[in-house]
């Protein structure tokens, strides 16, 4: 019990004194996850919007596959990205394996299906309510999707924040393609796993506290985003 309380006190000291090692790991985590959400979010929004308005043979199968990818194991993504980026892989010439770039690629693959599936589901519901009106005004499928995305911006913000939360809590894929290299590819989740195995509980606890704080902030932003439409409606009244 004494050791745990002592570790917590040391962890809190690392946070309050802005330990250089702790800060570098946190900043890298935020940078990698933000980059992945920027890429995966854009791809997911476009794919989800297209699937919501497109009509083509085999569409149900594509949607079913997309929903299946929501539960895509991170270690499988890590393995696939590793094979692609290894020297003998088709993208080995990029030379980004065991770099933050490889971690961004892996996290982008993980968040894209999340954003795409949730965006599609959101727009399908919105099309039921306003699709006929937009069609009668001469809006094409993609224009209708774009207008509905603008109308549902608060809900889409929630989707993107959810994707960021998924990305920053990822450990399996980023460890496989990043290598958990000190000062280069070591992020919060991989550092927590490593420091715990080494017995450096204060640093692991400090990183865990910061990670929980980031996740808590994301949940707060999601709550604010969900209350945004109600606040706007109240102001109009």
């Amino acid at each position: 019990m004494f050791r745990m309380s002592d570790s917590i006190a040391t962890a809190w000291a690392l946070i309050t004194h802005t330990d250089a090692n702790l800060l570098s790991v946190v900043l890298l985590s935020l940078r990698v996850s933000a980059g992945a959400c920027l890429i995966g979010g854009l791809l997911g929004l476009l794919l989800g919007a297209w699937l919501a308005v497109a009509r083509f043979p085999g569409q149900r199968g594509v949607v079913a596959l997309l929903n299946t990818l929501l539960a895509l194991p991170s270690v499988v993504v890590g393995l696939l990205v590793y094979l692609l980026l290894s020297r003998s892989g088709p993208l080995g010439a990029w030379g980004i394996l065991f770099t933050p770039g490889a971690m961004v690629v892996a996290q982008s693959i993980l968040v894209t299906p999340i954003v795409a599936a949730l965006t599609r589901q959101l727009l399908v519901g919105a099309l039921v309510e306003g699709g006929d009106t937009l069609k009668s005004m001469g809006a094409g499928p993609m224009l209708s999707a774009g207008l509905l995305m603008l109308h549902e911006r608060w809900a889409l913000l929630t989707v993107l924040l959810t994707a960021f939360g998924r990305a920053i809590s990822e450990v399996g894929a980023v460890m496989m393609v990043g290598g958990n290299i000190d000062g280069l590819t070591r992020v919060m989740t991989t550092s927590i796993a490593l420091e715990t195995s080494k017995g450096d509980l204060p640093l692991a606890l400090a990183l865990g506290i910061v990670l929980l704080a980031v996740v808590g902030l994301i949940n707060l932003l999601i709550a604010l985003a969900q209350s945004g439409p109600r606040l706007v409606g109240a102001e109009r009244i």
Side-chain angles (χ1 to χ4, degrees):
M1 182 63 68
F2 172 77
R3 184 182 179 186
M4 176 170 288
S5 62
D6 190 51
S7 297
I8 293 174
T10 306
W12 185 250
L14 290 173
I15 296 173
T16 54
H17 291 86
T18 318
D19 179 74
N21 186 30
L22 176 70
L23 182 61
S24 65
V25 170
V26 172
L27 291 178
L28 178 61
S29 298
L30 295 174
R31 188 164 67 249
V32 168
S33 297
C37 285
L38 180 63
I39 297 172
L42 179 60
L43 293 175
L45 288 173
L46 292 175
L47 178 60
W50 177 69
L51 286 175
V53 298
R55 298 294 180 269
F56 58 90
Q59 183 178 10
R60 290 187 176 180
V62 173
V63 172
L65 176 61
L66 179 62
N67 292 332
T68 301
L69 293 179
L70 289 173
L72 184 63
S74 61
V75 290
V76 174
V77 173
L79 175 60
L80 292 176
V81 175
Y82 181 91
L83 293 174
L84 288 173
L85 299 179
S86 63
R87 289 185 178 181
S88 59
L91 303 180
W94 289 8
I96 64 172
L97 188 62
F98 302 135
T99 67
M103 299 160 69
V104 170
V105 172
Q107 288 191 4
S108 298
I109 294 174
L110 283 171
V111 303
T112 296
I114 297 174
V115 177
L118 295 179
T119 299
R120 176 197 163 273
Q121 184 177 8
L122 178 66
L123 292 183
V124 166
L127 282 169
V128 173
E129 298 179 359
D132 291 338
T133 302
L134 291 173
K135 186 176 181 180
S136 66
M137 296 174 64
M142 290 307 296
L143 179 58
S144 297
L147 292 173
L148 289 174
M149 288 173 70
L150 181 62
H151 183 264
E152 301 290 343
R153 57 190 179 276
W154 292 104
L156 290 176
L157 178 59
T158 300
V159 172
L160 294 176
L161 288 171
T162 302
F164 183 83
R166 173 67 177 89
I168 202 166
S169 60
E170 167 53 31
V171 58
V174 295
M175 184 175 289
M176 294 177 67
V177 303
N180 201 19
I181 304 172
D182 187 21
L184 181 62
T185 60
R186 189 164 295 173
V187 293
M188 285 190 284
T189 52
T190 59
S191 292
I192 292 172
L194 176 65
E195 299 304 330
T196 301
S197 65
K198 289 167 53 179
D200 190 351
L201 296 182
L203 182 55
L205 282 171
L207 290 166
I209 292 171
V210 174
L211 183 58
L212 284 175
V214 171
V215 174
L217 178 60
I218 292 172
N219 288 329
L220 176 60
L221 293 175
I222 289 175
L224 292 175
Q226 291 175 343
S227 65
R230 293 193 294 270
L231 293 176
V232 172
E235 289 177 357
R236 290 178 178 175
I237 294 175

